[in-house]
Amino acid sequence: AVGENIYSSPLAGNSWTKLTNTAQPYLERYCFDGTNIFASQGGNVGVQLFKFSIGGSNWTNVTNNLVDGYTDHVFNIGTTIFISKDGVLYKSTNSGTTWQNTGNTGMSSLFNYSILADGQNIISGGYQNIYRSTDNGLTWAISTPSFPYLDIYDVYKFGSNIFASTDGDGVFKSTDNGVTWGNQALFGTSQYRF
């Protein structure tokens, strides 16, 4: 995906073909469930979500019953699509036809700077805490230790370990799927992305 269109390359990137006949402006966040590409516009007001089906030629608006608000993330676990808007997590099990507010039970932060979907686990790094859900976002638990003075900007899995970058205290690592974390390196520095 580049900006407002979808391109494909059957030749390992040596040549590209535009698949979309209609463009949608300001598409910034994407996920792919194996059949469909979901993409969200940037911006704060009137943000919409679109779907492009492989083999098709146009974007389909699947915003439907989603509320307005800033889109933090779009991701999937299998064919279940998730979108985080203003810190509230919604999910769709029917390719965007309808959306359900997961409730965010146990999550007090309104800011999700980063989300890692790993199997049935979802790990959300945000304002002063890392949260972990094992039931597709219905309930959340705060990981140990909490991060009372830090923002968690990125969460990334490498092998069996998960790493979190912070604003001000370096990099943390978890070896138990995000339940507990230990400070690894780069103390006193800000790491925004892996």
Side-chain angles (χ1 to χ4, degrees), residues 16-68:
W16 293 85
T17 301
K18 187 172 76 169
L19 300 180
T20 44
N21 288 335
T22 57
Q24 297 295 340
Y26 313 117
L27 297 178
E28 295 183 352
R29 293 163 178 82
Y30 303 86
C31 76
F32 178 56
D33 69 358
T35 303
N36 305 297
I37 298 170
F38 294 84
S40 173
Q41 291 175 320
N44 291 309
V45 180
V47 172
Q48 300 185 77
L49 185 69
F50 295 89
K51 177 176 73 174
F52 177 81
S53 299
I54 300 303
S57 59
N58 296 306
W59 290 104
T60 300
N61 191 320
V62 292
T63 305
N64 299 322
N65 62 318
L66 284 172
V67 299
D68 279 349

Side-chain angles (χ1 to χ4, degrees), residues 105-109 124 127-133 139-147 178-181:
T105 301
M107 181 183 287
S108 59
S109 174
S124 172
Y127 177 64
Q128 297 186 345
N129 278 307
I130 294 178
Y131 296 88
R132 179 173 177 265
S133 174
T139 60
W140 297 83
I142 296 178
S143 296
T144 304
S146 61
F147 301 81
V179 177
T180 59
W181 297 81

Side-chain angles (χ1 to χ4, degrees), residues 3-4 10 16 21 29 37 41 43-44 69 83 92 103-104 107 109 111 120 141 150 154 171:
E4 58 196 21
W16 293 85
N21 288 335
R29 293 163 178 82
I37 298 170
Q41 291 175 320
N44 291 309
I83 181 169
S92 174
N104 288 39
M107 181 183 287
S109 174
F111 300 98
Q120 293 302 307
L150 302 174
D154 203 7
V171 175

Side-chain angles (χ1 to χ4, degrees), residues 148-183:
Y149 305 110
L150 302 174
D151 292 337
I152 311 301
Y153 280 113
D154 203 7
V155 182
Y156 183 80
K157 186 169 186 178
F158 184 77
S160 60
N161 299 317
I162 301 174
F163 296 87
S165 64
T166 69
D167 178 15
D169 205 15
V171 175
F172 287 75
K173 182 175 79 170
S174 174
T175 60
D176 54 10
N177 290 319
V179 177
T180 59
W181 297 81
N183 198 318

